[in-house]
Amino acid sequence: GESVGLHLPTLSVQEGDNSIINCAYSNSASDYFIWYKQESGKGPQFIIDIRSNMDKRQGQRVTVLLNKTVKHLSLQIAATQPGDSAVYFCAENSYGNNRLAFGKGNQVVVIP
Amino acid sequence: EAGVAQSPRYKIIEKRQSVAFWCNPISGHATLYWYQQILGQGPKLLIQFQNNGVVDDSQLPKDRFSAERLKGVDSTLKIQPAKLEDSAVYLCASSLGLAAATDTQYFGPGTRLTVL
C-alpha cells in the first residue's frame, strides 16, 4: 500500500502475475510521456514512451496507456519477473519545453 | 556501445566544502543533462547543454552550483560551498539529437553525494 514521507508507494506482485503502475500528471499541455525503470544503485533506464496523439502503445511485455481526459498514465508489465523489481518513474514533456518532469516513483517488488 | 560514464560513484564531504562531478556522455550525443535526485524522489533537471551551449539552467542554484561542457563532450558539475540539503544522487544523461522532447535520454549510474 501507499506510505508517506520518504517511503515510496510499493506494489508487491507474485512472479508471473501482471503488474500495473499508475501515474497522474498535472500539465494538460504535456504531449510526450515516458516510463523509466530505476534499479538500486543505477540510473533510470528507458522502458517505453507514448505521444499524446495515442492512447496505447505496446512493447515487449510492457504496455503504456494514456488517458488524457483524466490526465492519467499507466504501465502494465505482463508476466512479471524478478528482474522487474525496481522503482518506476513516469516523466512528461510539454511541447516547446525541453525539460522532462519526473513524477513520484513506484516501487515494484516481485515475490518469487 | 558504451554508456554514460560518471565519476566518482560516491563522495562524502563536510558542509561548506567544494565538490566536482565528471560525466562522459555516449559518443556522438549532442545533448547532455545533469539531474539531482533526492532520496525517494524523481530526478530534477539542473542544467541542459546542447553541444557546449547551455539550453536550460533555470533550476540550477547558481549561487553555489556551476557546470561546464568544454568542447561539447565531457562535462563537470561543481558545488561550492556544499550544504546539507545537497545530499543526493547526481545523474548525468545524454541524448543523440537536439530535440530533448522526444529524444531518449540515457542515464549514467550517478554520483551519490553525502554532505555531513
Side-chain angles (χ1 to χ4, degrees), chain A residues 3-92:
Chain A
S3 302
V4 297
L6 295 178
H7 299 287
L8 296 171
T10 300
L11 172 68
S12 297
V13 59
Q14 204 72 36
E15 181 179 358
D17 287 351
N18 297 334
S19 304
I20 299 177
I21 308 161
N22 296 303
C23 176
Y25 64 94
S26 56
N27 189 349
S28 57
S30 295
D31 64 342
Y32 179 61
F33 304 88
I34 313 104
W35 279 100
Y36 280 90
K37 171 187 179 183
Q38 187 171 25
E39 297 174 89
S40 181
K42 297 183 179 180
Q45 177 188 1
F46 173 91
I47 301 174
I48 191 167
D49 59 1
I50 188 168
R51 293 176 186 257
S52 59
N53 61 353
M54 305 172 68
D55 53 21
K56 181 179 180 179
R57 189 160 189 233
Q58 289 184 294
Q60 187 177 11
R61 284 201 308 116
V62 294
T63 300
V64 56
L65 299 177
L66 174 63
N67 185 330
K68 294 180 287 293
T69 302
V70 296
K71 292 190 284 221
H72 183 268
L73 194 69
S74 68
L75 178 71
Q76 300 177 0
I77 305 173
T80 311
Q81 302 170 359
D84 295 327
S85 292
V87 176
Y88 290 80
F89 292 97
C90 64
E92 61 182 293

Side-chain angles (χ1 to χ4, degrees), chain B residues 13-95:
Chain B
I13 62 173
E14 294 188 348
K15 59 183 179 183
R16 292 187 287 274
Q17 286 188 323
S18 302
V19 64
F21 313 125
W22 174 82
C23 172
N24 178 233
I26 294 173
S27 178
H29 278 198
T31 306
L32 184 147
Y33 316 78
W34 281 103
Y35 288 85
Q36 179 192 60
Q37 186 175 26
I38 292 173
L39 182 65
Q41 299 181 17
K44 182 186 84 170
L45 180 70
L46 293 175
I47 189 167
Q48 176 185 343
F49 293 93
Q50 284 183 2
N51 296 314
N52 61 348
V54 176
V55 173
D56 184 353
D57 63 356
S58 57
Q59 299 190 109
L60 186 74
K62 299 181 187 62
D63 57 333
R64 298 184 300 106
F65 286 64
S66 64
E68 59 181 10
R69 190 184 184 198
L70 299 176
K71 301 180 182 179
V73 182
D74 292 3
S75 177
T76 55
L77 176 69
K78 296 179 182 178
I79 307 175
Q80 179 179 10
K83 292 185 176 181
L84 296 177
E85 59 261 36
D86 298 332
S87 293
V89 175
Y90 290 85
L91 295 162
C92 179
S94 69
S95 62

